[in-house]
Each structure stands twice: as C-alpha cells, then as structure tokens.
Amino acid sequence: MAWRLRLHGVGNASAVELGSAMATLERDGEPWLTIDCGGEGLTAFLRHYGRMPEAVFLTHAHMDHIAGFERLFVAHYFDPERRGKVRLYIPAPLVPLLQQRVADYPNVLAEGGVNFWDAFQLVPVSGHFWHRGVRMEAFPVRHHWPDSAFGLRLRGSAVWTGDTRPIPEMLARFADDGELIAHDCALHGNPSHSGIEDLEREYPPALLNRCVLYHYASREEGDALAARGYRVGRPGEAIDLADPTAAQVPPS
C-alpha cells in the first residue's frame, strides 16, 4: 500500500494565500483520513479530489480549522447516500467546543426538524481510535489552553502536531518510530504557536530532520525557514510516507 500526506493548506489564520492548515492521509492515491476542515483547506480538498471528505479528525476548534463544517454538513445531509455516514473523530474535550461554535445554531435548517449531528457519525476519541481497521493515536498538545488542541499519529508513518508550542515530551512518546512530523512552525513564535528558534532550542537535530514545517505566515516566511535548512510544506504538496507499523485488523 502506498501512503502519502497531502497538504491542502499550510498557512496561519491570516495567510489566506497559503490556505488554512489542513491535510489528508492518502492510501493508494485515495483520501483515507482528513485532518481538520478549514474554509480554504476544504476548497483545496474539493478541487483536488472532486468530492467531500468521508472521514475527518479534528485537532482543535479555532475557526481556521473548523470553518468548513457548515459546507460539510450541507453536502452530506442533502445526499441520502452519505447522510449520517461521514465519520468525525473528535477528541472528547473538543465535542462541547464544536457544539458551541458550530452545531448549536438555532435551527440548522430554516425549516427545522434537523440536528447538525444528523449529517455525521460522531466518534468521540481519547488516546486512540480505529479507522478502517488501523489504530490511530491522539495526544494533547500545547495550544492556547490545556486540553483544547490535539495531535494525531499514524504509527511508523506520520505525526501531525496541529497548532502547538514545542512538545518534546509528547514527541518522545508519539514520534519514536521514525515518523515524518508535520509541525506547527513560523519564523517567530508566540504564546500559542512555535517559532523556529523554539524548535531549535527544544528539539535535537535528528528530530528536526524529520519535521516538515507548516502554519507559517507567508510564502516569504516559508522561504526564510527553508533557507535555514529546514523542510517546509507547500500548499498542494504530497509527501510519501513509510508504511505504518500501527496495529491493524481487517476492517468490519
């Protein structure tokens, strides 16, 4: 099986030209599990695949990562073949936040009689979950507030940090099998996001060599990070991954 990580967007909330930070794990060229659902990122997904995601993992509930959920709802609710079938893997602490920010709008449809969650199959997750027979891992990261943001691991293949400050203790545990690490990084950090000097201070060179950086502020900033010798993700890029070592069972 051929695995890839496709980057739909790599920018921060203000870098519209780079797209909202969002990616899809592909298996044999097909979308397998999508990470986040931002507005520009969802547009890029549709442009590439010609259809909506069928499975989404949510890292956190800031709007640049969830702004596409209304479109996702409409596309699936009004298609009888897909209604209630798209899987949303949501870390349990994020469920009430997504409810408050998206799902709790009075009358999701003007006609009434419909709940936001009717369009989806909600799967709250804690430390791990199973997707299509493969064991995935979720872990908390350092972004904005405790238990408000989470990373994702496909063991042996890829780690997606989501928006975060440096997390050496988490990567020591959740990136210990040679995974590619897609890491939040801008030229300069702030209390919610990593800067390159933060990563250089916190991570050993061997780990930095496995990182592909995203969530930066502009193309020029991405070029500056690359000029320092780091791998920088670009919108639309597809990155080949090693085959996962995660536990697998025949999908039911």
Side-chain angles (χ1 to χ4, degrees):
M1 296 289 183
W3 292 83
R4 287 194 181 104
L5 179 70
R6 184 170 299 276
L7 306 176
H8 303 304
V10 297
N12 65 23
S14 301
V16 177
E17 73 279 5
L18 296 176
S20 44
M22 178 173 162
T24 293
L25 288 163
E26 293 182 350
R27 190 172 189 177
D28 292 336
E30 291 296 313
W32 188 77
L33 178 61
T34 297
I35 305 168
D36 287 335
C37 191
E40 292 87 9
L42 184 59
T43 296
F45 182 102
L46 287 166
R47 185 186 304 119
H48 182 78
Y49 297 114
R51 62 188 189 275
M52 285 284 186
E54 297 177 0
V56 177
F57 174 83
L58 180 66
T59 65
H60 66 294
H62 279 155
M63 291 307 298
D64 54 322
H65 297 261
I66 65 171
F69 269 104
E70 186 170 357
R71 272 195 290 165
L72 197 65
F73 165 83
V74 170
H76 286 85
Y77 184 79
F78 287 105
D79 184 340
E81 295 296 318
R82 293 188 292 176
R83 184 188 301 168
K85 294 180 179 178
V86 59
R87 285 197 167 195
L88 299 184
Y89 297 104
I90 313 293
L94 300 184
V95 174
L97 297 178
L98 191 61
Q99 173 71 21
Q100 293 163 14
R101 304 206 79 181
V102 179
D104 206 22
Y105 193 86
N107 278 3
V108 178
L109 298 181
E111 299 84 354
V114 177
N115 304 300
F116 174 80
W117 300 109
D118 291 342
F120 306 110
Q121 182 183 358
L122 173 64
V123 184
V125 303
S126 294
H128 76 275
F129 61 96
W130 293 88
H131 177 59
R132 296 183 180 176
V134 180
R135 188 180 191 272
M136 307 295 295
E137 295 173 80
F139 56 92
V141 299
R142 295 177 178 175
H143 178 60
H144 197 69
W145 198 253
D147 286 329
S148 68
F150 295 82
L152 179 69
R153 180 197 204 185
L154 173 58
R155 183 179 176 86
S157 289
V159 170
W160 182 271
T161 67
D163 293 7
T164 189
R165 294 286 297 160
I167 45 171
E169 71 289 347
M170 287 298 175
L171 295 185
R173 176 178 177 184
F174 292 101
D176 63 349
D177 198 17
E179 295 89 352
L180 175 93
I181 304 166
H183 203 298
D184 174 354
C185 185
L187 201 57
H188 305 288
N190 63 41
S192 290
H193 296 278
S194 298
I196 190 58
E197 292 182 359
D198 299 321
L199 300 194
E200 290 172 337
R201 182 183 63 250
E202 299 284 346
Y203 296 155
L207 190 144
L208 284 171
N209 287 339
R210 290 194 279 134
C211 288
V212 56
L213 309 180
Y214 75 98
H215 206 278
Y216 47 91
S218 66
R219 294 186 186 277
E220 293 75 17
E221 188 164 294
D223 292 342
L225 291 167
R228 293 175 72 131
Y230 297 105
R231 184 172 184 178
V232 176
R234 305 293 184 177
E237 181 180 3
I239 303 170
D240 291 335
L241 301 173
D243 288 341
T245 59
Q248 299 188 38
V249 298
S252 56

